[in-house]
Amino acid sequence: MDFLVGAFKPPCNVSISFVDTKTRKQVPLKKDNGQTIMVPLFQSQENIIGEVLIEPTQGKKFEHNGVKIELLGQIVRELDVPGELFERKTYQFEFSTVEMPHESYNGINVRLRYILKVTIGRNYISNIVECQDFVVRNFTPPPSINNSIKMEVGIEDCLHIEFEYGKSKYHLKDVIIGKIYFLLVRIKIKNMELEIRRRESTGSGPNTYVETETLAKFELMDGAPVRGESIPVRLFLSPYELTPTYRNINNKFSVKYYLNLVFVDEEDRRYFKQQEITVYRLLES
Amino acid sequence: MISDGVEDEEKWLTAGIAGLQQNAFYMHRALDSNNLRDALKYSAQMLSELRTSRLSPHKYYELYMRSFDELRKLEMFFKEEARRGCSIIDLYELVQHAGNILPRLYLLCTVGSVYIKSKEAPAKDVLKDLVEMCRGIQHPVRGLFLRSYLSQVSRDKLPDIGSEYEGDADTVIDAVEFVLQNFTEMNKLWVRMQHQGPAREKEKREKERSELRDLVGKNLHVLSQIEGVDLDMYKDTVLPRVLEQVVNCKDELAQHYLMDCIIQVFPDEYHLQTLDVLLSACPQLQPSVDIKTVLSQLMERLSNYAASSAEVLPEFLQVEAFSKLSNAIGKVIEAHVDMPTIGVVTLYSSLLTFTLHVHPDRLDYADLVLGACVKKLSGKGKIEDSKATKQIVALLSAPLEKYNDIVTALKLSNYPRVMEYLDTETNKVMATVIIQSIMKNKTCIETEDKVEALFELVKGLIKDLEGNHQDEIDEDDFKEEQNSFARLIQMLYNEDPEEMFKIICTVRKHILTGGPKRLPFTIPSLIFSCLKLVRQLQGQDENPFGNETSTTPKKIFQLLNQTIEALSSVPAPELSLRLYLQCAEAANDCDLEPVAYEFFTQAYILYEEEISDSKAQVTAIHLIIGTLQRMHVFGVENRDTLTHKATGYSAKLLKKSDQCRAVYACSHLFWVDDQENMKDGERVLLCLKRALRIANAAQQMANAARGNTGSVTLFVEILNKYLYFFEKGNPQITVSTIQGLIELITTEMQSDTTTPDPAADAFFASTLRYIQFQKQKGGAISEKYEPIKV
């Protein structure tokens, strides 16, 4: 039995660890199988330092064609020349000031992942591969220009409003302050909501796929206003799982955010006006 | 099948309460285990029940009150959390994550209340934020209740003067601003309610709105409770802002209620000092607003204020309250062209009450008010509306009540002009009120002018006004009103005979227009008033000033004669006869023989020509005999004529018993105790014998007709007359005649044919006892009686 089991088991255990595992922030990451695991968080130009531990099972020796570690898609480091491995061996590795301009992203049709991959090359039989995910988040300083969004819109002889959101760019924990001013109301409004919508587009040209999700539905007003009423807007973004706005990442995909102001009338007809906002990640102090 | 709306509503309420209780249960559990997240989650769900649109305000209130109680527990929890070190600012943000606005705002107000209490931020900032955020609820009922909640939780946290929340940054102005803003928004929501839903349910909605009015009015009450709202702030900020909202909302219900509210909640002295501002709003209100009630309330309050203390009166003068109110009323009436009469009268009635309280010395003001009222009423004819009529009565009664003196009211030249507008019935009621006031206060009306003025007021009682409605009048009511008018005549009095005579002439002039139904009530009263004057003059020398025009008894008697004559038109012979006899007696006392004789003559003529009823005749003859007996003014000849006639009438009465009694009464005409020349014993005896004969005849007639002789009462009565004259020393009455009569009676009583009559027996027995008593008394009388045997 032991023999049989041993035949299908990998001949060694491979594990990757980081030097600063204890101090580094961990963030949740959703895996393909739906499980959420905690992974370390990095940002661009950080050093990624750690070690790979390879331990042959049952103290047996095995041959290999060399050991390498790669930061997937980017950098490869040779860790060992071909040879034999018969006891536990640790390889240090370091990727210094790695440029990681794009953040990890887990969307509907697109994912952006960062992975450390250790490969133990072997002859005639398949290589031994071990992967370690990590997350990259990049911080942005507050924008120097951040204009308000202000606009007068309406449906002729039906509804005229003027709305104003204090800013056009919001960080992830920001709060949207604004007001809706009613210039003309001829429909029987039941309520008014502010939605936050995420628009993820992948591919390009005729092969563009667009997915839109409503992340927040926030009731702003209950009942029918009359002309001259001004309704305050105050929406805290922190409860919602937003990401920064991503524009044309590697010519592969974009993620954009919109504020959608929706009026519902007594016959449940919906009137709306959508405005794009930019979301960014502000360095948490 | 149309489902029953009320039943459905009950169902929805039950469902709402159930939902609320369930979530409250989970909320309590979260509170007990200090689970903030769950507490917020379940409280928001609980408050979601308030998002319903299905309940009427009445039912919604029930749901609201339950939520209110639950929120108190949550508030306690927030306080605890804050004490445990949870940042109140974070809490303030956290509750705002709720996706539904109504629960979110209820939670925000609840945390806000704790926030202010923690003093981590200036109260004014939190208050301002809360009142601004509440704008998100534009649904009238839900908005009203939410803001009512805000008002409730913030009441004890306003940065008022002396409050713990007052600070450098927080002043009472902020408190006022906050309440004013909440008030304005609530009123807007309230007014908007009427436009919600289908037009056919308008009436129901107005009723529902009315139920909600106190939620709005509460804000004004809060304002009035803020210590820092002194007169200046009230004048400069509070009142103008409130009025601005009242005027601008252009809603009848709201305007009426809020004006009323302003008047009720703020102090009187503020009203007095801001009268201009308050009054200037009135003409700007919607035409349908019941402005008269509003103004009346205001004037009533000010009147009471004035009545409360004399010290405040100078304030009224200083601000010229009367002219301001007077102008305002004028403007309001002008602005509301089709204001019903009741409105006009109510306004003037209130103004009159006001001026009577505030300016009791300014009778001209009162007259001015009445004059203005007349002007507005002119051209409208008699007032038909019974409510308006009632108001006029109130208006006219006010001066009477205030002055307790009709004389003062008589100076009001416009008073009778207002009365003109009353219908006949009410005019009488008013006249009765006036008379009652006079009687109650024992007011004496002393001059002819005043009598004229007074009669102008009560003319509804004196004569029929415009068209005779006599048929419809209740007999008892008529009697009562005429009796009261008759009493009034007695209150018209002046010590000076000249003036009194003038008064009498005036009264006579008026009452003679009263018609046959009134004269029997009014004339006797006037006659006695005259006789009173006669008695007054009777002691004085004739014509003390030697002046031809001066009042003399003779002159008065002439007037009396003519006056009584007027009764003949009624006709009222019995009453006239009595009055003639009264006058005769007065003339007797004045030593005016011809006058007295004339009165008797008139009385006799009436007796002969007008009084035919036997009972009336009996009464009349006894009156004549009684009066004539007391007359001493007549010479022998006149007296003979009159006594002869009287005895003649007596003997001609119908019933024998009446004849008998009248005849023996006549015996007194020949024997006047204190007059020596009037003691004719023979004729006395003749009368008594004649009476006996009649009594005999009466018995025989009875015997013939019924088989028994009837009672001996008449004989006993005659026996008593005999005894009387016997005692008085009439020589014609002897012991033997008395003895004979006693025996006659005794025999009669024992006779078989006599009907037993216990009363007569007792009468006779006590007569005999009297004789016995006189016999034993001793002295001259005993000697006289001694020979009589019983």
Side-chain angles (χ1 to χ4, degrees), chain B residues 451-462:
Chain B
V451 171
E452 281 282 5
L454 175 63
F455 278 18
E456 181 63 23
L457 298 186
V458 300
K459 65 183 173 193
L461 301 185
I462 299 173

Side-chain angles (χ1 to χ4, degrees), chain B residues 162-181:
Chain B
S163 138
E164 56 176 310
Y165 304 103
E166 190 194 11
D168 298 336
D170 300 67
T171 62
V172 64
I173 274 283
D174 299 310
V176 170
E177 279 298 330
F178 166 74
V179 183
L180 276 173
Q181 193 181 342

